[in-house]
Amino acid sequence: MSHWIKHFSDGKQEIGSDRHIMKKEASWSQGRLDSMIAATLYFAKKYVSLKGDGPFWQKDIFTSGYNLPPRRIARQVGKKIHNGEDGWALLRSWKPNIFTIQIDRAQSPNATRITSADFGSYLVVTVSNTGDIKITVEKKFHV
């Protein structure tokens, strides 16, 4: 079952599993949002963590067809980009199917460039239902 985990500076965590979200026992926007230092997604058998100063935001992407119920095709988590966070955002694998997004100063192939023009935008990680992981910079991620 997929879920997200909010990590806070006081060491506490808040977990939102699909089951808890459907029962309205968990909600990203209705839960605690202050003092977040990281967010982790588990979707399509992949764990992906995004760390740093927030704010953080999480979204699901759905699709539907005629006479078919909506189906989640991706989960996203994003973090606001602050002054001094320019560099190259890349996917680091620590163990099979466990990833962290890291920002390095050195140019790296297959990394997403973050420049000073991106300050105030969001660094967004998208995990698709096929297990693909994509890193983007988006101006209007948090709505």
Side-chain angles (χ1 to χ4, degrees), residues 3 5 31 41 43 46-47 57 79 81 86 90 101 103 106:
H3 61 274
I5 305 170
L41 290 180
F43 186 63
K46 309 271 185 192
Y47 278 98
W57 200 249
K79 156 197 142 25
I81 301 168
D86 52 322
L90 39 110
I101 306 309
I103 299 174

Side-chain angles (χ1 to χ4, degrees), residues 60-89:
D60 291 331
I61 300 173
F62 289 87
T63 188
S64 63
Y66 181 72
N67 286 334
L68 295 173
R71 183 174 59 100
R72 183 186 300 133
I73 59 169
R75 289 199 107 153
Q76 297 179 303
V77 67
K79 156 197 142 25
K80 195 168 207 174
I81 301 168
H82 301 283
N83 290 341
E85 292 183 319
D86 52 322
W88 297 86

Side-chain angles (χ1 to χ4, degrees), residues 1 10 16 41 48 55 59 72 74 83-84 96 105 108 135 137 140:
M1 174 167 300
D10 61 8
L41 290 180
V48 181
K59 289 183 183 180
R72 183 186 300 133
N83 290 341
R105 294 286 180 195
S108 180
I135 303 170
V137 173
K140 297 182 179 185

Side-chain angles (χ1 to χ4, degrees), residues 93-141:
S93 176
W94 303 109
K95 294 180 181 177
N97 296 322
I98 300 176
F99 302 91
T100 300
I101 306 309
Q102 182 175 327
I103 299 174
D104 286 342
R105 294 286 180 195
Q107 184 174 354
S108 180
N110 302 321
T112 300
R113 180 75 170 120
I114 301 171
T115 68
S116 59
D118 298 319
F119 297 163
S121 298
Y122 276 76
L123 179 62
V124 177
V125 180
T126 303
V127 182
S128 74
N129 59 358
T130 61
D132 292 331
I133 302 171
K134 183 178 176 184
I135 303 170
T136 56
V137 173
E138 299 184 21
K139 295 274 184 211
K140 297 182 179 185
F141 181 70

Side-chain angles (χ1 to χ4, degrees), residues 2-22:
S2 67
H3 61 274
W4 45 256
I5 305 170
K6 298 177 187 178
H7 305 270
F8 300 99
S9 60
D10 61 8
K12 294 183 179 176
Q13 294 181 343
E14 189 175 302
I15 300 172
S17 70
D18 288 344
R19 182 179 320 122
H20 291 118
I21 292 166
M22 287 187 295

